[in-house]
Every structure is written in C-alpha cells, then in structure tokens.
Amino acid sequence: MNAPPKSNTLDQLKFDNRFVAELPGDQETRNYPRQVLGSCYSKASPTKVTKPTTVAYSKEVAALLNLSEQACESDDFSQVFVGNRLATGMEPFAMCYGGHQFGHWAGQLGDGRAINLGDVINHESERWALQLKGAGLTPYSRTADGLAVLRSSVREFLCSEAMYHLGVPTTRALSLTLTGEQVVRDMFYNGNPKAEPGAIVCRVAPSFIRFGSFQIHAARGDLNLLRKLTDYTINTHFPHLSKPSKDVYLTWFEEVCRTTAQMIVHWQRVGFVHGVMNTDNMSILGLTIDYGPYGWLENYDPDWTPNTTDKAERRYRYSNQPACAFWNLGQLANAIYPLIGEVEPLQQALNVFTQVFGEQWQLMMCNKLGLSRFDPDQDDELFAELLALLQSVETDMTIFFRQLAEADLGKVRLEHADIEMLIAPLAEAYYVPEQKTPDYVARLVDWLKFYNQRIILDGTPQEIRRERMNRVNPKYVLRNYIAQIAIEKAEQGDFAMITELLELLRHPYDQQPENQQYAAKRPDWARQRAGCSMLSCSS
C-alpha cells in the first residue's frame, strides 16, 4: 500500500486544535500583560516581521509533519513559521501556567514568548503541536517583549535535534528563521544591552503542557479547571490509561514519575545540564523542554551549572538534577492532591521515580562501560571509583568514555610499558596533563584492573564491549564552545556552520573521521568565555 503523498503547501496540513476546543480560554481579546483567571490559554497572534528568512530546517521533523522538501524551501514556509501568515486550520494561542522558579513559587508565568499555532495530525494519526518561540507579545509576557534573538534560537534549534539523535526524550525543532528585525538584549543583565538579530524557532512536540500548567489552577483553588485540564491531558496524551478517575489519576502520575526519571537518566548519561529546571520547564510527557541556559559537561564537574543566575546556590547543577526532578514531581503531586484526597498513594507514586531512576542509572552506567548486567556486589564500587577519578583531575567526560572503549584491557599487566600502552587512548581526555601524577596513574591503573576483572566476569569479549560502549557514549555533542562559534558566524551572516552541525549531530555515535575537529575538548580560550562556560536565561 502506497504512503499518502507529502504536503507541498502548508495549507494542506491537517489541524485538530483540541486544546482550545475543549478547554476554557481567556475571554479578554486584547493582547496585553495581565493576570488571566479561569483559563488554560489566551488567544494571541504572532507579531508580524519585516523580512523572514529560513536559516535551516530539520528534514526529520518535516517528515513527521508530512511536509515535502518543496514546502520547506518555499517562501511561504518562512512566512508561516515566523507568524506572518496563518496556514489554514491554525488557531494561535498562549498557554497559562505557573511554576516554582529556583524553589520559590512565582505565581502566573505562562507562554511569555511562545505562541502555539495548533496541533497537526500526520498520516500516522500522531499529534504534533507547533509552537513559535520568539513570536511576540502575549498576555503572559510580563515586562518583556516576547521576542527572541538569533543567539538563543541557534542554541535551541540545534540542541533540540542533537538531543533527539542522542536518544534523549525531547521536544523537537522544525525550523530556525531570521525575522529581519533587531532585538535589544542585555545578555547577563549587567547593564550592557545591545541590538542583536531577531529569530524564531518553530518547536514541535506532542504537547507543551507542563507541571506548572496544573500548579496554577491548584494554587488559585480552581479545582474544576484543574480536573478539566487533567482529564484532557489523560484523554488526549495518555489514552491507554482509560477513562479518568481517582485510580487513573494515580496511574497517570506514576507514569509521569517514570518517564521523568528516564529522561533524567539520559541527561546524566550524555552530560547534559538543563540549567533552569523550574516546574514550568518540566514537560508532563517526560520530554526535555525549554533550551535556555543549558550546557554540556566538558570536564567532569558534578557541581557545574551553566546558568549565571544560579551561580551562588548551584541548585540546578549536574549532580543535583535527579533531586530537582524529584522535588518538582513533589510540587506536581501537591497540585493534583485535590483530585486524589490522600497523601499515601501519591507518596507511593513518587517512590516510582526513586526506584526507576536508581535501576535505570545502574543500567545506564553498565551500558557506558559495556557490561551486560548490574552486579550489586561489585558495580557500586566500580562506578563510584570511576566517578571519583574523573573528578580528581580535569577530565573530559565525553572523550574519556568514548576512548575507554579503545583501551586494550587484555593487556593489563604490572610492567611500565604495558601501563603506558593501556592508558594511552585516554590521553586526549585530560585538560591539564600535568595533573596525571604517579599517584593518579596508579589509582587509574588499579581501577582499570578492577574493570577488566569485571569484564571477564561478565563474559563480554572486548569487541562486544567496545560496540556496546560506542552505542551509548557519543563521540559528538553540541559542545558549548562549538555552538558559540556557530552563533558568532551566523551573526555575521554565515549560516554554513549551522547546517554543518545539524548534519554532524544526526549521527553522534558514528566515527565521522572527516569531522574529528568537532570531537575536540574545550580549548583554553573558551574556559571562561561568555556563551561557552557562562550563560543566562536570555541565552
């Protein structure tokens, strides 16, 4: 049976805007910042711009929407995905939600610079919500302008797709489009504003509903609307759970705990630090959402966070992401408590996160080391000593795990020559080679011996170990400094590197020897440079 043809025009997309059809919306039609009560959304039209130009688009996301290459390379594509024109069936709106920011209740937040265009139903009957980030003022913009700059948009576009190809649950990005406008931003909120090129990313996900979507109605005591939103979410996005009821609410919450745990395990696997894990930035579907001041661990530092706003407390540091996710789930549990009326079953559901994260983290570490199964008698010590070694000297996490697969563990002996040969593949992972003291080398070799014994016990041939490791330890990630180089070129009108990185990051586990330069560890010039090691929420 032949597949249905792809759409050559955007007006051929099939929309099913159930969110605005089934949930109550804001009755005020004027678009100005305000508190919005008794509503899940407000109608909001994108701000028209002067000269939209498509910089790049994801062919995989276009395929999800059944869009042809012809459609994606048309001028109409640029016009629609900056909001200058609404395709047939689009009904733009901004969502209402609240959230805890850095552990403190912030009240109403909402889509302050994102405008949803509607939900596309593709040929496989999958639902894909389209959202323009940076499309202008909404009732939730507070004192901001609702716009986005090229700098932050490049980061969001590339990282959304990079995470997908790494196997991390994530929202997607269809397109990156210049607006032709200048937008003033103070990158570090330090009194140094400057004009930057404006841009818009079209984000794509089954849903953009967040933990904070439920919190706002619970905080306002609007239990009727809380129930309506929860029922809508279950019926639309969790239909396998059957008709909403108290028991189904609990089963749903357990599933949210489970998928959130799985997402966090993936973050820890690839060294991703979200940077701003507020409850309004937590997807109800367990997807990575809102790529702002994120970063990638380069040298393994569990206390690192890229977000300058979090510099003092480091609440959202790499090592604290699992605890923050659990805390956020606790806030969601508090929000839906009125639907359950009992604490104990909610606590039991929260325990699902702890259990799933623990089990999946152990399995993840086994996979990173090429082991077939977790051995509680040995592996806790094996993992703990390895992470201590990574932290004791400045070691590139991505390169270390990738190169560990190349170490010939079969040649572990006491002779000095064999030791040098054994650790040679790891040499490029070290930022300061002088830190490899004799004591460190001896400790590393002891760990490698322990690791080799564990591999032998596992019955895993070296070649199988290497294949397993290279399937889960990427060679290429969107390193902070590489993204910054692409941004600086783009700001000068050179977009070639964005296209090049988009292609590179489609195959992060492949060797790609022609792209070896993108696997290099952070250069010294990027150690303390803005955009490379320091970012803000405007990034």
mmCIF file of all heavy atoms in Angstrom, residues 58-84:
data_model
loop_
_atom_site.group_PDB
_atom_site.id
_atom_site.type_symbol
_atom_site.label_atom_id
_atom_site.label_comp_id
_atom_site.label_asym_id
_atom_site.label_seq_id
_atom_site.Cartn_x
_atom_site.Cartn_y
_atom_site.Cartn_z
ATOM 1 N N SER A 58 14.770 21.090 9.958
ATOM 2 C CA SER A 58 15.059 19.683 10.206
ATOM 3 C C SER A 58 14.234 18.818 9.255
ATOM 4 O O SER A 58 13.005 18.840 9.307
ATOM 5 C CB SER A 58 14.724 19.315 11.660
ATOM 6 O OG SER A 58 14.681 17.907 11.815
ATOM 7 N N LYS A 59 14.918 18.058 8.432
ATOM 8 C CA LYS A 59 14.196 17.210 7.477
ATOM 9 C C LYS A 59 13.444 16.095 8.200
ATOM 10 O O LYS A 59 12.382 15.651 7.736
ATOM 11 C CB LYS A 59 15.162 16.641 6.445
ATOM 12 C CG LYS A 59 16.279 15.780 7.008
ATOM 13 C CD LYS A 59 17.282 15.385 5.932
ATOM 14 C CE LYS A 59 18.404 14.507 6.488
ATOM 15 N NZ LYS A 59 19.422 14.183 5.457
ATOM 16 N N GLU A 60 13.967 15.650 9.369
ATOM 17 C CA GLU A 60 13.267 14.592 10.114
ATOM 18 C C GLU A 60 11.962 15.104 10.704
ATOM 19 O O GLU A 60 10.943 14.407 10.689
ATOM 20 C CB GLU A 60 14.159 14.047 11.236
ATOM 21 C CG GLU A 60 15.366 13.264 10.760
ATOM 22 C CD GLU A 60 16.577 14.148 10.514
ATOM 23 O OE1 GLU A 60 16.455 15.402 10.590
ATOM 24 O OE2 GLU A 60 17.661 13.606 10.248
ATOM 25 N N VAL A 61 11.985 16.335 11.229
ATOM 26 C CA VAL A 61 10.750 16.895 11.797
ATOM 27 C C VAL A 61 9.759 17.221 10.682
ATOM 28 O O VAL A 61 8.554 17.006 10.827
ATOM 29 C CB VAL A 61 11.060 18.137 12.646
ATOM 30 C CG1 VAL A 61 9.772 18.718 13.223
ATOM 31 C CG2 VAL A 61 12.014 17.774 13.782
ATOM 32 N N ALA A 62 10.268 17.705 9.558
ATOM 33 C CA ALA A 62 9.389 17.935 8.406
ATOM 34 C C ALA A 62 8.691 16.645 8.003
ATOM 35 O O ALA A 62 7.499 16.635 7.664
ATOM 36 C CB ALA A 62 10.192 18.499 7.241
ATOM 37 N N ALA A 63 9.437 15.525 8.069
ATOM 38 C CA ALA A 63 8.845 14.227 7.723
ATOM 39 C C ALA A 63 7.751 13.837 8.710
ATOM 40 O O ALA A 63 6.731 13.252 8.328
ATOM 41 C CB ALA A 63 9.931 13.158 7.668
ATOM 42 N N LEU A 64 7.933 14.171 9.987
ATOM 43 C CA LEU A 64 6.893 13.886 10.979
ATOM 44 C C LEU A 64 5.593 14.592 10.628
ATOM 45 O O LEU A 64 4.499 14.088 10.897
ATOM 46 C CB LEU A 64 7.345 14.348 12.367
ATOM 47 C CG LEU A 64 8.432 13.551 13.075
ATOM 48 C CD1 LEU A 64 8.777 14.217 14.403
ATOM 49 C CD2 LEU A 64 8.002 12.112 13.310
ATOM 50 N N LEU A 65 5.730 15.773 10.038
ATOM 51 C CA LEU A 65 4.558 16.569 9.669
ATOM 52 C C LEU A 65 4.098 16.303 8.241
ATOM 53 O O LEU A 65 3.168 16.961 7.759
ATOM 54 C CB LEU A 65 4.880 18.059 9.833
ATOM 55 C CG LEU A 65 5.351 18.494 11.227
ATOM 56 C CD1 LEU A 65 5.757 19.962 11.214
ATOM 57 C CD2 LEU A 65 4.275 18.237 12.263
ATOM 58 N N ASN A 66 4.776 15.352 7.583
ATOM 59 C CA ASN A 66 4.468 15.004 6.192
ATOM 60 C C ASN A 66 4.647 16.190 5.249
ATOM 61 O O ASN A 66 3.924 16.341 4.260
ATOM 62 C CB ASN A 66 3.038 14.457 6.058
ATOM 63 C CG ASN A 66 2.746 13.319 7.010
ATOM 64 O OD1 ASN A 66 1.789 13.372 7.780
ATOM 65 N ND2 ASN A 66 3.575 12.291 6.984
ATOM 66 N N LEU A 67 5.623 17.030 5.555
ATOM 67 C CA LEU A 67 5.916 18.183 4.697
ATOM 68 C C LEU A 67 6.982 17.812 3.675
ATOM 69 O O LEU A 67 8.006 17.214 4.015
ATOM 70 C CB LEU A 67 6.413 19.362 5.542
ATOM 71 C CG LEU A 67 5.359 20.138 6.323
ATOM 72 C CD1 LEU A 67 6.019 21.170 7.215
ATOM 73 C CD2 LEU A 67 4.366 20.804 5.378
ATOM 74 N N SER A 68 6.764 18.186 2.458
ATOM 75 C CA SER A 68 7.718 17.897 1.393
ATOM 76 C C SER A 68 8.875 18.896 1.434
ATOM 77 O O SER A 68 8.794 19.970 2.047
ATOM 78 C CB SER A 68 7.035 17.990 0.024
ATOM 79 O OG SER A 68 6.686 19.335 -0.263
ATOM 80 N N GLU A 69 9.944 18.534 0.756
ATOM 81 C CA GLU A 69 11.087 19.446 0.625
ATOM 82 C C GLU A 69 10.658 20.734 -0.071
ATOM 83 O O GLU A 69 11.098 21.830 0.282
ATOM 84 C CB GLU A 69 12.207 18.747 -0.157
ATOM 85 C CG GLU A 69 13.475 19.553 -0.305
ATOM 86 C CD GLU A 69 14.561 18.772 -1.022
ATOM 87 O OE1 GLU A 69 14.666 17.544 -0.812
ATOM 88 O OE2 GLU A 69 15.304 19.401 -1.805
ATOM 89 N N GLN A 70 9.787 20.584 -1.041
ATOM 90 C CA GLN A 70 9.280 21.764 -1.762
ATOM 91 C C GLN A 70 8.595 22.736 -0.812
ATOM 92 O O GLN A 70 8.804 23.951 -0.887
ATOM 93 C CB GLN A 70 8.297 21.316 -2.845
ATOM 94 C CG GLN A 70 7.637 22.458 -3.617
ATOM 95 C CD GLN A 70 6.625 21.943 -4.647
ATOM 96 O OE1 GLN A 70 6.733 20.826 -5.149
ATOM 97 N NE2 GLN A 70 5.616 22.760 -4.939
ATOM 98 N N ALA A 71 7.791 22.203 0.099
ATOM 99 C CA ALA A 71 7.088 23.061 1.059
ATOM 100 C C ALA A 71 8.073 23.762 1.984
ATOM 101 O O ALA A 71 7.925 24.955 2.287
ATOM 102 C CB ALA A 71 6.097 22.234 1.867
ATOM 103 N N CYS A 72 9.101 23.031 2.443
ATOM 104 C CA CYS A 72 10.045 23.583 3.419
ATOM 105 C C CYS A 72 10.979 24.629 2.815
ATOM 106 O O CYS A 72 11.538 25.453 3.545
ATOM 107 C CB CYS A 72 10.864 22.463 4.048
ATOM 108 S SG CYS A 72 9.884 21.320 5.036
ATOM 109 N N GLU A 73 11.156 24.584 1.525
ATOM 110 C CA GLU A 73 12.066 25.529 0.885
ATOM 111 C C GLU A 73 11.325 26.674 0.196
ATOM 112 O O GLU A 73 11.925 27.465 -0.525
ATOM 113 C CB GLU A 73 12.965 24.776 -0.094
ATOM 114 C CG GLU A 73 13.887 23.793 0.640
ATOM 115 C CD GLU A 73 14.834 23.067 -0.274
ATOM 116 O OE1 GLU A 73 14.758 23.263 -1.504
ATOM 117 O OE2 GLU A 73 15.669 22.292 0.245
ATOM 118 N N SER A 74 10.039 26.775 0.472
ATOM 119 C CA SER A 74 9.238 27.838 -0.133
ATOM 120 C C SER A 74 9.301 29.111 0.711
ATOM 121 O O SER A 74 9.598 29.076 1.915
ATOM 122 C CB SER A 74 7.773 27.394 -0.253
ATOM 123 O OG SER A 74 7.196 27.244 1.042
ATOM 124 N N ASP A 75 8.991 30.220 0.080
ATOM 125 C CA ASP A 75 8.902 31.482 0.820
ATOM 126 C C ASP A 75 7.758 31.431 1.823
ATOM 127 O O ASP A 75 7.841 32.018 2.911
ATOM 128 C CB ASP A 75 8.689 32.639 -0.162
ATOM 129 C CG ASP A 75 8.515 33.972 0.553
ATOM 130 O OD1 ASP A 75 9.486 34.435 1.169
ATOM 131 O OD2 ASP A 75 7.394 34.531 0.508
ATOM 132 N N ASP A 76 6.698 30.711 1.486
ATOM 133 C CA ASP A 76 5.550 30.618 2.392
ATOM 134 C C ASP A 76 5.942 29.944 3.709
ATOM 135 O O ASP A 76 5.409 30.289 4.768
ATOM 136 C CB ASP A 76 4.419 29.832 1.719
ATOM 137 C CG ASP A 76 3.117 29.939 2.486
ATOM 138 O OD1 ASP A 76 2.713 31.074 2.818
ATOM 139 O OD2 ASP A 76 2.507 28.890 2.771
ATOM 140 N N PHE A 77 6.867 28.995 3.646
ATOM 141 C CA PHE A 77 7.365 28.327 4.856
ATOM 142 C C PHE A 77 7.956 29.366 5.803
ATOM 143 O O PHE A 77 7.679 29.364 7.009
ATOM 144 C CB PHE A 77 8.415 27.285 4.458
ATOM 145 C CG PHE A 77 8.929 26.436 5.587
ATOM 146 C CD1 PHE A 77 8.260 25.285 5.985
ATOM 147 C CD2 PHE A 77 10.109 26.773 6.252
ATOM 148 C CE1 PHE A 77 8.744 24.483 7.012
ATOM 149 C CE2 PHE A 77 10.608 25.984 7.273
ATOM 150 C CZ PHE A 77 9.927 24.833 7.659
ATOM 151 N N SER A 78 8.773 30.266 5.265
ATOM 152 C CA SER A 78 9.362 31.338 6.081
ATOM 153 C C SER A 78 8.280 32.249 6.649
ATOM 154 O O SER A 78 8.335 32.640 7.830
ATOM 155 C CB SER A 78 10.344 32.173 5.253
ATOM 156 O OG SER A 78 11.392 31.385 4.738
ATOM 157 N N GLN A 79 7.302 32.573 5.847
ATOM 158 C CA GLN A 79 6.245 33.485 6.289
ATOM 159 C C GLN A 79 5.392 32.861 7.403
ATOM 160 O O GLN A 79 5.071 33.530 8.399
ATOM 161 C CB GLN A 79 5.346 33.859 5.099
ATOM 162 C CG GLN A 79 6.030 34.633 3.981
ATOM 163 C CD GLN A 79 6.404 36.056 4.386
ATOM 164 O OE1 GLN A 79 5.869 36.612 5.335
ATOM 165 N NE2 GLN A 79 7.345 36.647 3.652
ATOM 166 N N VAL A 80 5.063 31.597 7.235
ATOM 167 C CA VAL A 80 4.202 30.929 8.222
ATOM 168 C C VAL A 80 4.944 30.709 9.535
ATOM 169 O O VAL A 80 4.393 30.946 10.627
ATOM 170 C CB VAL A 80 3.664 29.601 7.659
ATOM 171 C CG1 VAL A 80 3.025 28.757 8.771
ATOM 172 C CG2 VAL A 80 2.662 29.870 6.547
ATOM 173 N N PHE A 81 6.220 30.313 9.462
ATOM 174 C CA PHE A 81 6.909 29.948 10.693
ATOM 175 C C PHE A 81 7.671 31.096 11.346
ATOM 176 O O PHE A 81 8.539 30.868 12.201
ATOM 177 C CB PHE A 81 7.757 28.699 10.459
ATOM 178 C CG PHE A 81 6.888 27.490 10.246
ATOM 179 C CD1 PHE A 81 6.875 26.818 9.026
ATOM 180 C CD2 PHE A 81 6.018 27.067 11.230
ATOM 181 C CE1 PHE A 81 6.039 25.725 8.827
ATOM 182 C CE2 PHE A 81 5.175 25.979 11.042
ATOM 183 C CZ PHE A 81 5.192 25.310 9.835
ATOM 184 N N VAL A 82 7.304 32.319 10.963
ATOM 185 C CA VAL A 82 7.544 33.482 11.819
ATOM 186 C C VAL A 82 6.213 34.084 12.264
ATOM 187 O O VAL A 82 6.185 35.025 13.042
ATOM 188 C CB VAL A 82 8.403 34.570 11.142
ATOM 189 C CG1 VAL A 82 9.813 34.089 10.908
ATOM 190 C CG2 VAL A 82 7.747 35.073 9.866
ATOM 191 N N GLY A 83 5.125 33.561 11.737
ATOM 192 C CA GLY A 83 3.804 34.048 12.129
ATOM 193 C C GLY A 83 3.246 35.148 11.262
ATOM 194 O O GLY A 83 2.198 35.730 11.585
ATOM 195 N N ASN A 84 3.890 35.446 10.132
ATOM 196 C CA ASN A 84 3.346 36.478 9.239
ATOM 197 C C ASN A 84 2.055 36.038 8.576
ATOM 198 O O ASN A 84 1.216 36.859 8.222
ATOM 199 C CB ASN A 84 4.369 36.835 8.156
ATOM 200 C CG ASN A 84 5.364 37.874 8.630
ATOM 201 O OD1 ASN A 84 5.335 38.281 9.789
ATOM 202 N ND2 ASN A 84 6.254 38.288 7.747
#
